Amino acid sequence: MAAAGGLRRGLLLAVPWRWRCSPRRGAAGCLPAGQVRAAFLRFFEERHGHRRLPSAPVRPRGDPRLLFVNAGMNQFKPIFLGTVHPRSELAQHRRVVNSQKCVRAGGKHNDLEDVGRDTYHHTFFEMLGNWSFGDYFKEEACSMAWELLTEVYEIPKDRLYVTYFAGDSSLGLSADEECRDVWLCLGVPASHVLPFPLKDNFWEMGDTGPCGPCTEIHYDHVGGGRNAAALVNQGSPDVVEIWNLVFMQYSREVEGNLLPLPQHHVDTGMGLERLVTVLQNKRSNYDTDLFTPILDAIHKGCGGPRYQGLVGDADVGRVNMAYRVVADHVRALCVCITDGIYPGFSGAELVLRRILRRAVRFCSEVLHAPPGLLASLVPTVVEVLIMDVINENEAAFLSSLERGRRIIERTVQQMEPSTNFPAEVAWSLYGNLGFPLDLIDLMLEEKGISLDSAAFNELALEGAKRKAGGPQAGQLDDTNTHLDVHSLAQLQSNNVPATDDSPKYAYTVGQHGQYEFSPCQATVLMLYRDQSLQKEVGAGQRCGVILDRTNFYAEQGGQASDQGYMIHLGQQDILFPVESVRLCGGYVIHEVTAVETLHAGDQVQLFVDEAQRLACMTNHTATHLLNFALRHVLGDNTEQRGSHVTAERLRFDFDTKGPVTVEQLQQVEQVVQDVIKRNEVVHTAEVPLMLARRVQGLRAVDEGYPDPVRIVSLGVPVESVLTCDSEAAMQTSVELCCGTHLLQTGAMEDLAIISERQLVKGISRVIAVTGRQAKQAREAGQCLAMEVDSVSLRMKERSTSIPEMQNLSKEVGQLTKMVASTPMPQWQRKELQTILKVLQRTANTAVKKLEMQQAEEKAQSVLAKHCNQPVIVDTVPADSLSILMKVVNQLCDKSPGTSVLLLSPQASGEVLCACQVSKNCLPVFSAADWAVAVCTQMEGKAGGSPVVAKGSGNAKGMQGALTAALEFAQSKLLK
């Protein structure tokens, strides 16, 4: 031990001076964060032979379960899970080091709500990490960590405390004394080496999969020779964890038990922000050079008081909280946008939108900063595109923020004392102005008011049901949007003009490629409620609003209606949410909840939900393109039988002679992608119906279209397809359509068919997604394909271990479920399902064969021991009840007149029981009664038939059970 210690001290003293950082020389000599990161990477790369890898993007590749990369190990999960392709570059890694960009906002790990309230939570942070994949383990990992912290970063050893796993008797795990001894051997005092239970020092990837004990390194900010062991893991801001070293040596099985991994791995993680705080002698992450330049820029931009680091009640007006929120959020925005995640309306994009709006709100309302501050904080090295995205989103939300603030203030003034904020108003802010729920809560919290959460959740549930219900949703309760025949006649007799809905087509593409929709000013002509026309509707009532003109799209032609809101002209602080829109007899009826009284003659301004409209436009154009591609691949006899377009996806039904093959699905997608790549112009024009009928190959001419009719043509001007004898329409998509469409096909980005099935004989239905959803579906498909390929290769190795083959069989089953449920290209799903069916049969056959071989060997051994006995009662080692039952069956086959009962003790303390009674002994002797009598002795349960039965019990009663088994059999056979 002394020699080893001397050798280790020699190694520590041999650290080259170019790796030494000497950070602890007072504030003037603090090591910059960039050098801290560089020293970490260089130390592992140059001194310990690790391969330095770049950070993965913060958008997870092929893992639909994650919104963002939230830990350094995410990109290495295939290695830990054993699903990595053996010929991939990832499979070649043995020692790796990197600094991973991480975002913890949304999903299981969500720090968004805590950011700003304290001085250490962040949405974006960097995770420094080193990994070993089947190479070094505990001794080397701990030694490297100690060397880096104490010799390179020169952190005083007496300020460091290490923890290790104390064991868990319920899992049969002893304390990790190996880890403890490593730290003691490295010279850490015993008083600084502390055991902690499962919740603190045992790391698991999920409910199943690789896991193991971990050791954490904690730092005492106070120091001064004191013993701070009692403060470790107690939530004290004075003693904080800085590094976690995870030793993956077990696999958590579906049943909950732990099995040793064939290879041991090391996964370590140390937050750069927290490490820099230690090395720069600070107590707050925001006081380090990772944040101070941003905080200075915020001060310069808003001109208010400087950042002072105050928290809680001391932070009057939440000014310091605002500084922290803005500084943190602008970092997250820059990183996410750089990695291709833009503020949007679902998934990670929605979370980023919340982050941006939270930052805008603190900039505007707490710091009183001018518009543009957020984008001005972006470092000059960031591309102008990112600044434009932030500026665009900030500008879009600032007006909504001001309007929302006025709505909240007006509502609060009208509220009775000690009442909750009305859910209807909050839902309007959420659905129409894009206010995240947490932002509404925060603004109300500042006024000492609570939201009626139960009522809000009920409204959210209704909205979700309406969205999920498709075209039929809400039709049973359409009394406010479906004009009855008498009301329609009354409108016509009163010469109320039909609604001019041509403004729905009034949109353009801006200079940066974004679609721009203009608001529309209109007059309320009539209100409709409870199947009657009305001139006035009171506050809180739901009604239909008939306008003289509108830019809202009413549900027709398979396209879902627009949503949005209207306001009284000149009155910005009252929103009337528009939930659905219908067309009846030329009148467009907007379903609205009246926040205040509405009158016929009111002047209103209309605002369409632009994101939903654009998504519907994209998917409608994609539907036309899909129709053309299906006819091109399957033949001109392929006729459309129905379609439905929403913001989320598109559905298309068509004639078919049989199931669409994998090859045909691939060809259809390729045709669509070719048109997308060409970025064809989408041409539209209104023409007389008789003229439209001349277009060769035009679909759906016999339907009840108005005259004139609107033609939508992809890539070919409408004038060209109308020319006599022109065959241009045969080479592209040309359809009669009243829907809203993209102006060019390139904005679609991609299309993936994620479902295809036959509804009835001769009619198939496909479901497809576009844009980022299509990209994510393809990434998910590629990830699952790699996992299936990995299982296939491991299956070919033909393991002779029953547990290994059973695990492979379970893995195939889990993959089968994932392939069936994960949105991915349908052609790829079909391919993988075919492979998985073969793999499942192969695995099951292999398991049965191995079990039979093992059972036969054990049966021969037992038979030799109990030759020519009428009853055999014994114990046999068996990995499962299935094998034990097969041993019993083999014994009875080899010795037909013998009745057999076998027990098999397991490592878990359970005892398995299986028995079979010779048919010669029936009905006096019953296997089910025999098993029940035996398992009852072991405080267990059993069941079966008169011939065969099985059960289980506790090992404590096994000896008594063996005696009971023999006595029971003898008592029956002597009768």
Side-chain angles (χ1 to χ4, degrees):
M1 180 72 76
L7 175 61
R8 192 167 285 109
R9 282 193 297 274
L11 285 172
L12 296 179
L13 291 172
V15 174
W17 281 104
R18 63 197 176 96
W19 289 333
R20 292 181 182 270
C21 297
S22 301
R24 314 192 63 78
R25 298 189 298 265
C30 283
L31 189 69
Q35 292 185 31
V36 174
R37 182 194 300 108
F40 181 92
L41 298 171
R42 194 167 59 241
F43 172 80
F44 282 101
E45 182 181 25
E46 298 180 8
R47 183 163 177 77
H48 292 290
H50 288 60
R51 181 176 181 183
R52 184 192 297 198
L53 294 183
S55 170
V58 293
R59 182 192 288 281
R61 290 188 59 83
D63 191 343
R65 292 158 292 195
L66 278 181
L67 290 173
F68 302 96
V69 166
N70 56 27
M73 53 73 63
N74 287 160
Q75 64 176 311
F76 304 118
K77 282 173 74 172
I79 299 178
F80 297 137
L81 293 170
T83 58
V84 65
H85 194 296
R87 294 194 297 273
S88 69
E89 183 180 4
L90 198 60
Q92 313 311 313
H93 295 325
R94 290 295 174 265
R95 298 183 174 203
V96 167
V97 63
N98 84 341
S99 179
Q100 174 62 48
K101 298 174 289 186
C102 300
V103 174
R104 289 188 177 172
K108 179 182 176 183
H109 299 286
N110 183 8
D111 290 340
L112 180 57
E113 297 305 311
D114 295 315
V115 171
R117 297 179 187 273
D118 54 40
T119 61
Y120 51 86
H121 275 101
H122 303 291
T123 52
F124 163 74
F125 64 96
E126 283 187 68
M127 184 69 84
L128 303 170
N130 60 290
W131 287 268
S132 164
F133 306 119
D135 189 353
Y136 60 81
F137 204 43
K138 295 179 183 178
E139 181 175 2
E140 296 89 338
C142 295
S143 178
M144 292 174 195
W146 193 250
E147 180 183 3
L148 176 66
L149 294 178
T150 62
E151 298 297 320
V152 176
Y153 291 136
E154 297 185 351
I155 296 175
K157 296 177 183 179
D158 63 354
R159 289 199 178 198
L160 297 175
Y161 295 79
V162 297
T163 67
Y164 67 95
F165 179 48
D168 189 282
S169 57
S170 66
L171 293 174
L173 296 176
S174 57
D176 191 359
E177 295 178 353
E178 178 187 0
C179 177
R180 179 200 63 190
D181 293 344
V182 168
W183 288 118
L184 294 174
C185 185
L186 286 168
V188 182
S191 60
H192 285 222
V193 182
L194 312 170
F196 281 91
L198 191 80
K199 70 180 183 69
D200 296 306
N201 278 77
F202 196 88
W203 187 91
E204 302 196 53
M205 186 182 292
D207 294 334
T208 60
C211 56
C214 63
T215 181
E216 296 174 342
I217 304 175
H218 296 249
Y219 175 78
D220 177 16
H221 277 287
V222 177
R226 71 170 184 165
N227 189 321
L231 297 177
V232 172
N233 276 337
Q234 298 304 310
S236 169
D238 294 335
V239 180
V240 296
E241 174 205 337
I242 58 172
W243 205 347
N244 188 12
L245 286 63
V246 179
F247 307 122
M248 294 194 189
Q249 60 190 94
Y250 300 108
S251 174
R252 173 82 71 178
E253 301 302 296
V254 176
E255 297 82 4
N257 57 310
L258 298 176
L259 294 178
L261 285 172
Q263 273 196 324
H264 290 172
H265 307 301
V266 174
D267 165 15
T268 86
M270 176 161 56
L272 174 66
E273 291 77 7
R274 194 168 287 187
L275 176 63
V276 171
T277 300
V278 169
L279 297 181
Q280 294 184 359
N281 295 310
K282 305 295 183 183
R283 295 298 298 273
S284 162
N285 295 356
Y286 292 91
D287 291 337
T288 68
D289 65 345
L290 288 167
F291 289 92
T292 50
I294 304 174
L295 296 171
D296 289 343
I298 295 171
H299 170 67
K300 183 178 179 182
C302 69
R306 282 191 172 276
Y307 176 70
Q308 297 174 284
L310 302 175
V311 295
D313 294 339
D315 183 16
V316 179
R318 299 195 181 191
V319 171
N320 289 267
M321 178 180 177
Y323 268 98
R324 289 188 290 269
V325 167
V326 175
D328 170 89
H329 288 9
V330 76
R331 289 183 1 129
L333 287 164
C334 290
V335 169
C336 290
I337 292 172
T338 301
D339 282 349
I341 303 175
Y342 298 88
F345 292 86
S346 64
E349 286 80 6
L350 176 60
V351 175
L352 195 64
R353 184 171 181 255
R354 288 178 58 199
I355 291 172
L356 189 146
R357 294 188 165 207
R358 195 168 187 258
V360 170
R361 190 260 166 168
F362 274 97
C363 278
S364 173
E365 297 209 337
V366 180
L367 297 176
H368 306 294
L373 171 68
L374 202 57
S376 74
L377 302 176
V378 181
T380 55
V381 295
V382 177
E383 292 181 298
V384 174
L385 173 63
I386 296 175
M387 294 181 70
D388 287 343
V389 172
I390 292 180
N391 264 326
E392 180 185 326
N393 277 271
E394 181 178 11
F397 186 55
L398 270 174
S399 60
S400 297
L401 177 66
E402 176 61 22
R403 184 175 298 155
R405 184 184 59 77
R406 288 201 302 266
I407 289 171
I408 289 175
E409 288 178 353
R410 181 188 179 96
T411 305
V412 170
Q413 288 171 5
Q414 296 174 348
M415 284 169 54
E416 295 290 333
S418 303
T419 57
N420 287 334
F421 192 81
E424 295 81 5
V425 178
W427 179 248
S428 179
L429 291 170
Y430 174 80
N432 298 302
L433 292 185
F435 271 56
L437 183 56
D438 59 288
L439 183 57
I440 297 171
D441 281 333
L442 185 63
M443 294 174 75
L444 294 178
E445 178 188 316
E446 291 170 355
K447 296 181 179 296
I449 297 170
S450 298
L451 172 64
D452 186 346
S453 299
F456 183 91
N457 292 337
E458 193 173 323
L459 289 172
L461 188 61
E462 287 177 14
K465 286 179 179 177
R466 189 181 295 112
K467 182 180 287 187
Q472 284 76 38
Q475 287 189 6
L476 297 176
D477 185 26
D478 60 1
T479 56
N480 295 325
T481 56
H482 186 73
L483 290 174
D484 66 286
V485 63
H486 304 294
S487 297
L488 196 56
Q490 186 180 341
L491 286 169
Q492 293 166 349
S493 66
N494 291 341
N495 295 319
V496 176
T499 307
D500 173 16
D501 64 350
S502 59
K504 68 187 179 188
Y505 299 126
Y507 47 88
T508 58
V509 176
Q511 62 178 358
H512 298 299
Q514 78 281 8
Y515 276 74
E516 296 176 349
F517 302 84
S518 300
C520 174
Q521 188 174 324
T523 302
V524 177
L525 298 180
M526 193 64 67
L527 302 167
Y528 185 68
R529 175 173 167 76
D530 296 334
Q531 294 188 311
S532 69
L533 297 171
Q534 301 177 14
K535 294 279 189 180
E536 178 181 309
V537 169
Q541 295 183 321
R542 186 171 289 186
C543 66
V545 180
I546 301 171
L547 304 170
D548 63 336
R549 62 198 307 267
T550 184
N551 58 349
F552 276 73
Y553 182 84
E555 182 170 340
Q556 54 186 319
Q559 179 178 330
S561 75
D562 281 336
Q563 294 177 335
Y565 64 94
M566 61 177 70
I567 61 172
H568 274 128
L569 203 62
Q571 200 169 6
Q572 301 287 315
D573 55 351
I574 303 176
L575 268 67
F576 297 89
V578 178
E579 297 171 13
S580 65
V581 188
R582 294 191 65 171
L583 180 65
C584 287
Y587 298 99
V588 177
I589 302 98
H590 308 72
E591 186 178 19
V592 165
T593 299
V595 181
E596 286 198 350
T597 303
L598 268 173
H599 305 87
D602 284 351
Q603 299 290 302
V604 295
Q605 195 164 16
L606 308 175
F607 296 86
V608 167
D609 183 331
E610 297 179 2
Q612 190 224 13
R613 161 68 81 82
L614 182 57
C616 283
M617 288 163 50
T618 301
N619 288 343
H620 203 150
T621 304
T623 303
H624 284 213
L625 193 42
L626 180 63
N627 189 3
F628 167 72
L630 285 166
R631 290 171 63 90
H632 182 81
V633 172
L634 302 180
D636 288 336
N637 293 328
T638 305
E639 291 292 340
Q640 176 177 343
R641 289 298 177 192
S643 68
H644 187 238
V645 174
T646 67
E648 290 76 28
R649 56 180 55 188
L650 62 97
R651 189 193 74 210
F652 191 81
D653 301 341
F654 58 96
D655 287 337
T656 179
K657 293 179 180 178
V660 184
T661 66
V662 166
E663 293 74 18
Q664 288 170 333
L665 287 169
Q666 289 175 312
Q667 290 168 17
V668 169
E669 285 191 358
Q670 190 58 56
V671 171
V672 173
Q673 286 160 10
D674 289 344
V675 179
I676 292 172
K677 287 177 184 175
R678 293 199 299 270
N679 197 21
E680 301 280 16
V681 174
V682 180
H683 300 275
T684 60
E686 284 195 350
V687 300
L689 189 58
M690 288 301 296
L691 193 59
R693 292 182 188 277
R694 300 178 188 173
V695 178
Q696 292 195 40
L698 187 65
R699 272 77 73 189
V701 180
D702 296 330
E703 295 185 22
Y705 282 93
D707 192 6
V709 70
R710 195 162 185 263
I711 290 181
V712 178
S713 171
L714 303 188
V716 178
V718 175
E719 309 86 70
S720 299
V721 301
L722 291 173
T723 305
C724 288
D725 301 324
S726 171
E727 295 188 358
M730 303 295 288
Q731 310 304 317
T732 187
S733 166
V734 179
E735 296 192 33
L736 306 182
C737 181
C738 59
T740 56
H741 288 269
L742 295 173
L743 300 179
Q744 287 186 271
T745 59
M748 203 181 304
E749 297 180 5
D750 193 6
L751 178 141
I753 297 171
I754 60 171
S755 173
E756 183 276 326
R757 64 185 179 91
Q758 281 202 301
L759 295 178
V760 294
K761 187 175 182 180
I763 298 181
S764 280
R765 168 172 291 178
V766 296
I767 293 174
V769 291
T770 58
R772 289 180 191 168
Q773 283 181 285
K775 181 182 177 183
Q776 289 167 4
R778 294 194 189 285
E779 288 179 353
Q782 290 166 6
C783 179
L784 286 170
M786 289 179 63
E787 293 190 29
V788 171
D789 198 14
S790 172
V791 172
S792 299
L793 288 169
R794 284 180 282 142
M795 196 78 78
K796 288 175 183 176
E797 294 172 3
R798 294 286 182 181
S799 170
T800 57
S801 163
I802 291 175
E804 283 184 22
M805 287 307 300
Q806 286 174 331
N807 284 337
L808 275 176
S809 178
K810 287 178 186 175
E811 196 173 332
V812 171
Q814 290 168 347
L815 274 175
T816 300
K817 289 179 182 177
M818 288 185 67
V819 167
S821 62
T822 301
M824 62 188 293
Q826 180 67 8
W827 64 263
Q828 193 170 32
R829 190 193 319 278
K830 287 187 171 184
E831 281 188 346
L832 295 181
Q833 285 174 332
T834 301
I835 296 169
L836 287 166
K837 281 181 182 177
V838 175
L839 290 176
Q840 193 69 72
R841 283 198 300 268
T842 303
N844 293 345
T845 301
V847 169
K848 288 178 182 177
K849 187 176 179 181
L850 289 170
E851 285 184 348
M852 289 299 291
Q853 290 174 354
Q854 194 176 108
E856 188 169 358
E857 293 169 4
K858 294 179 185 296
Q860 290 286 8
S861 174
V862 173
L863 202 58
K865 182 178 175 183
H866 301 274
C867 187
N868 299 321
Q869 296 291 323
V871 176
I872 296 177
V873 174
D874 207 341
T875 59
V876 171
D879 292 330
S880 68
L881 192 54
S882 173
I883 296 174
L884 190 64
M885 198 75 241
K886 285 182 173 66
V887 176
V888 170
N889 297 150
Q890 294 255 5
L891 283 168
C892 292
D893 288 343
K894 294 176 186 296
S895 180
T898 303
S899 297
V900 179
L901 184 144
L902 298 180
L903 300 181
S904 179
Q906 304 294 298
S908 62
E910 184 184 28
V911 176
L912 306 178
C913 171
C915 65
Q916 182 171 334
V917 169
S918 170
K919 292 181 180 179
N920 300 335
C921 301
L922 297 175
V924 176
F925 194 3
S926 165
D929 293 343
W930 198 13
V932 168
V934 171
C935 291
T936 301
Q937 285 284 328
M938 299 186 293
E939 299 177 350
K941 294 181 180 180
S945 70
V947 178
V948 293
K950 55 189 176 182
S952 63
N954 195 300
K956 293 177 182 177
M958 190 174 74
Q959 289 305 317
L962 289 169
T963 304
L966 200 54
E967 289 176 351
F968 184 93
Q970 289 171 347
S971 70
K972 297 297 181 182
L973 293 176
L974 290 174
K975 289 183 178 179

